Each structure stands twice: as C-alpha cells, then as structure tokens.
Amino acid sequence: MLDLISVGEMVIDFLPGEEAGVYIRKAGGAPANAAIAVARNRLFAGFCGRVGADDFGRFLLDTLKENQVAVLCPAMVEEAVTTMAFVTLGPGGERSFTFARKPGADMFLTKADVDVALAQGARILHAGSCSLSAPPASEATAYALSQASKRGYMVSFDVNYRDLMWGGDRAAARASVAAILPYVDLLKISEEETDFMGGQEGIQAMAAETGIAVVVETLGAQGARCYWQDAVWELPGRPAKAVDATGAGDAFVGSMLLQLAHLSPGELGGLDEQSLREMVDFANAAGSLTTTRKGAIPAMPTREEIQQCRASASLLDG
C-alpha cells in the first residue's frame, strides 16, 4: 500500500530565465514534485500521469525512479503537447507572462489509468489543476478524486489557475474547480488564485460550502497564509536570496502531505490551531529552503533539512 498517489495530466514545470524571451516548460509539475518530496522522506509514493516520449518525459521518468516513486501509468505519448511562456520585461524589470500550447498529441489521463492507480491503495491522493484543463482529463481527475474520497483517502488538490485558462474562460475554469471541491480535504493555492477564487471572503465561503478542512496559500518569499474554520492567519517567510515560486510551492505541499500521511481525513478536520500552525510552519520552511536552490525537482528537501532550517534560519544565508 502506498502512502501517497499523485495524479497529474500535463507533467510540465515552468522555470523561466531572468530575461525577456520564450521559455519552454520542462518535465516536472506539482503532482510529480509532490510525489518526489514525499518519497525523499522515506514514505511510499506513486505517480499516475502521462508523459511525452521525448527528452523531458524520459527525464521525468528517470527522476521518479531515482527517488523510488512508483510509476503507475507509464504510457509515453508521441508528439506531446509543449507549453511555452512568452516573457515580457516591463520598464522596472518586472516580468509578465503569456502562455501558449504548441500543437501535439493530447496527454490525457483516462479512467482506466486512474483505476490502476487507485487499486494500489493509499492514504492520500494528491492532484494538480493541470489535470482539469480539458476533457477527458478533467473527467478522469474528478473520477479519481470522488473514488478516493469514497475509499477513505485524504484528498489534496493544488490549484494553478493558469493551467485552467487556456481558453480564457474564467467562469468555466472556476466551474471545473468547483466540481471537485466536495471531495477535497486540503486545498493549496497561491496569491494569484486568491483573486481568481474571489479573494479571502470567496475562499472562506467556498471552504464552508464544500467542507474543505484546510486551505493553505503560499506567498513566495512572504511565507504562507492558512484558512482554517473561521480563522485566517499568516506565517512570515524565512530569509531567501532568490524566489523560485514553482519549487517553493511544490516543496510546501509535499512537506504538508508528508505530515498528513500520518493522519486520517477525520483527524485533519479535528486538528487544533497549534498543531496546524506547526504543520504549516514546517511546510513553509521547506518552501523557503527550496528558494535558495533554484529549481523544482532537484530541490525537494528532506525532513532533516527542513528541521535544520526551522532550527536555524542562518542556514539559508549561503
């Protein structure tokens, strides 16, 4: 039996440079990174997803295997979709992004893929919003979450609104997220998704309506925010020389899942505030540690590194 099954459809990761231009996403993505983060801490993780039959896809599969992550759906897709980011620099050096998908074959999960993964058994199922981008991926993901919830898994979901907005239809993107929220116990968002989901009031209303136990919002170098019951509280960021939001966010959610693997869904809802604060602070330290390393998959920290980071912020100075 696995501790974690991570589900992702478009296994991609965006690591832009510091200049204007066009950057291509490389293999990675939150679901794969979360599985690796858990596996590096000696828990059993499996990844269910489809990858391109190219150098990026092979790199991902090799990285998963090197970290002892079980590959539950090893199908490789010829002429896979590639995602590109067009990066523009503003007068003050600020970056803005325009995303486009290069035509190619669909890399969509199917319900049959999901059934193979669910048959392994797990304590937690984690999924990313990239798998809601279009049917049949969205149908397979909703199916996976609903079946996992029925089987008593704890369900975690990582929202990235860019993954949902290829057609530019915000209402449709919100609807695709809303459809799976009744099955979710832990929801991870970032600052961008706060606005997308209606601000703090919208998030609190959504959590109350759907029964989500915890919503965590990663704030890059500024730390994290947690929505729990009627409370909203923040944990300040730890020192970091550079902010790689992708790696930090994935390390954050991976370290949260690492801790939650020892709980049942019912226990998640019954946590007291102090216990939850300690969990989020642990995850926050993992994200801050990752920002000093630049990169996502190679930067997933171990439990020991996170504990050292919490004990001495000076470790982040080098």
Side-chain angles (χ1 to χ4, degrees):
M1 178 174 175
L2 300 168
D3 293 295
L4 169 77
I5 292 173
S6 214
V7 177
E9 170 255 314
M10 290 294 292
V11 281
I12 50 180
D13 191 13
F14 177 48
L15 298 176
E18 299 298 332
E19 301 175 351
V22 179
Y23 298 91
I24 299 177
R25 289 190 173 195
K26 72 175 185 64
N33 285 345
I36 291 168
V38 168
R40 284 191 174 175
N41 287 278
R42 299 185 294 278
L43 295 180
F44 299 105
F47 175 72
C48 178
R50 291 176 176 244
V51 300
D54 52 21
D55 290 343
F56 290 157
R58 291 186 178 89
F59 165 76
L60 174 60
L61 291 179
D62 289 344
T63 305
L64 290 167
K65 292 175 182 177
E66 287 169 4
N67 287 277
Q68 290 78 54
V69 175
V71 180
L72 305 175
C73 174
M76 300 190 77
V77 182
E78 298 292 338
E79 298 182 9
V81 172
T82 298
T83 304
M84 297 180 290
F86 299 84
V87 183
T88 305
L89 293 182
E94 65 278 6
R95 292 179 295 174
S96 60
F97 309 102
T98 302
F99 293 89
R101 296 177 85 168
K102 179 180 177 181
D106 290 336
M107 296 168 60
F108 292 149
L109 287 172
T110 66
K111 289 184 179 179
D113 299 327
V114 171
D115 283 333
V116 169
L118 293 174
Q120 309 297 314
R123 294 181 62 82
I124 298 177
L125 184 135
H126 174 69
S129 56
C130 48
S131 51
L132 292 179
S133 57
S138 55
E139 297 167 358
T141 298
Y143 174 74
L145 299 180
S146 65
Q147 292 299 306
S149 181
K150 289 178 182 177
R151 296 179 188 212
Y153 294 13
M154 184 181 298
V155 176
S156 167
F157 195 80
D158 186 344
V159 177
N160 183 335
Y161 85 97
R162 285 197 185 102
D163 292 326
L164 303 167
M165 290 294 290
W166 303 116
D169 189 338
R170 293 176 67 88
R174 286 196 190 95
S176 67
V177 174
I180 55 89
L181 292 182
Y183 312 120
V184 175
D185 300 298
L186 169 69
L187 185 71
K188 183 262 178 185
I189 58 177
S190 67
E191 288 182 280
E192 294 168 310
E193 283 82 63
T194 299
D195 176 64
F196 173 71
M197 300 171 75
Q200 292 191 20
E201 291 184 0
I203 292 170
Q204 288 176 296
M206 171 200 69
E209 180 179 346
T210 58
I212 294 173
V214 180
V215 179
V216 290
E217 178 184 3
T218 55
L219 305 172
Q222 284 69 53
R225 183 177 292 124
C226 184
Y227 300 81
W228 176 73
Q229 298 183 1
D230 294 329
V232 181
W233 39 270
E234 299 188 15
L235 286 94
R238 293 169 180 270
K241 285 189 174 182
V243 175
D244 169 11
T246 300
D250 294 346
F252 183 101
V253 74
S255 62
M256 278 291 289
L257 296 175
L258 168 66
Q259 300 168 94
L260 296 175
H262 302 291
L263 303 177
S264 70
E267 289 173 319
L268 175 61
L271 281 176
D272 58 39
E273 182 173 344
Q274 182 59 33
S275 298
L276 188 57
R277 278 183 180 271
E278 291 177 0
M279 281 190 171
V280 178
D281 184 59
F282 183 88
N284 191 25
S288 296
L289 180 62
T290 307
T291 61
T292 68
R293 299 184 181 178
K294 271 297 191 186
I297 286 179
M300 295 294 107
T302 64
R303 185 194 297 270
E304 290 77 13
E305 289 175 311
I306 298 168
Q307 289 171 335
Q308 288 176 345
C309 175
R310 294 181 73 193
S312 176
S314 65
L315 292 177
L316 296 176
D317 294 338

